[in-house]
Amino acid sequence: MAGTLKEHDFEFMDVALEEARIAMAEDEVPVGAAIVYDGEVIAADHNRVRASCSALAHGEMLVLAAAAKKLGDWRLNGCTLYATKELCPMCAGACVMSRVSRVVFAVGDCAMGCLGGGPFDFSSVPMFNHRFPAVGGVRSDECLVLLREFFATKRIPRKDCSEGITSDQVKMLHKRLDKSANI
């Protein structure tokens, strides 16, 4: 379900973008997230998968849990989730289950995105008991730069490493990021 931009979307995405920068400094995939309720940021965090040794520690999952705790309710009606990358199946499913009212993301993900940029759109599945509007492309240029920088340092073959990906594979990754950014 396509959504529309609102007045403060860029401002709130800046909070998620700052969290993505922190993630990158901590050697995590630079994805940040924030939840806004009644015009106020009530939760902000970033990926902590490596630090916590848990695939569940996506920034989006962490802010959903923090917001529910702050509001004292697992239902996040009236909340908007901001994320620097299109949500994966786990995070998009958690938005459905927690009744998030709206999702705004920066960079699309043509491989794993589940809000219309990839193979699925969890925001508008008719059989789900909750649907929400999703808006992509907000601050996508800045977020794409962070993702590219991170993956370039991780995936470029090194002389001291016998297993690395080829320069063709790096180019393919960059093409995928470019394609995702053009949602």
Side-chain angles (χ1 to χ4, degrees):
M1 176 186 318
T4 58
L5 281 173
K6 294 194 176 180
E7 183 180 351
H8 298 289
D9 284 345
F10 286 87
E11 173 187 338
F12 293 131
M13 185 59 78
D14 285 342
V15 175
L17 183 54
E18 185 55 35
E19 288 292 334
R21 290 183 181 111
I22 295 168
M24 188 162 176
E26 294 175 358
D27 203 29
E28 297 278 358
V29 175
V31 175
I35 295 213
V36 173
Y37 179 73
D38 264 351
E40 177 187 341
V41 176
I42 61 169
D45 213 331
H46 55 274
N47 278 8
R48 296 178 186 271
V49 172
R50 292 178 64 145
S52 67
C53 293
S54 173
L56 302 176
H58 287 196
E60 302 93 332
M61 298 295 284
L62 299 173
V63 296
L64 289 168
K69 186 172 185 175
K70 176 149 183 135
L71 295 176
D73 193 345
W74 62 269
R75 294 174 202 88
L76 298 178
N77 297 315
C79 290
T80 298
L81 171 70
Y82 291 85
T84 57
K85 190 180 92 39
E86 184 177 2
L87 279 57
C88 71
M90 173 179 68
C91 297
C95 285
V96 171
M97 298 306 292
S98 62
R99 314 296 196 267
V100 166
S101 293
R102 186 169 171 263
V103 175
V104 178
F105 63 93
V107 179
D109 184 345
C110 64
M112 291 293 290
C114 284
L115 295 178
F120 305 105
D121 186 354
F122 282 32
S123 67
S124 60
V125 176
M127 292 143 320
F128 289 174
N129 64 342
H130 177 71
R131 288 170 291 286
F132 53 87
V135 179
V138 176
R139 296 265 189 260
S140 61
D141 290 342
E142 297 99 317
C143 297
L144 184 59
V145 166
L146 282 179
L147 288 165
R148 278 190 170 161
E149 285 177 10
F150 179 82
F151 287 114
T153 63
K154 298 296 176 197
R155 297 189 173 156
I156 290 178
R158 296 185 178 101
K159 290 180 183 177
D160 62 341
C161 182
S162 61
E163 290 184 50
I165 66 170
T166 67
S167 60
D168 287 342
Q169 289 169 314
V170 171
K171 288 176 189 173
M172 186 172 64
L173 172 66
H174 282 227
K175 282 182 185 177
R176 187 175 130 205
L177 288 171
D178 286 339
K179 181 179 176 187
S180 294
N182 293 325
I183 293 178

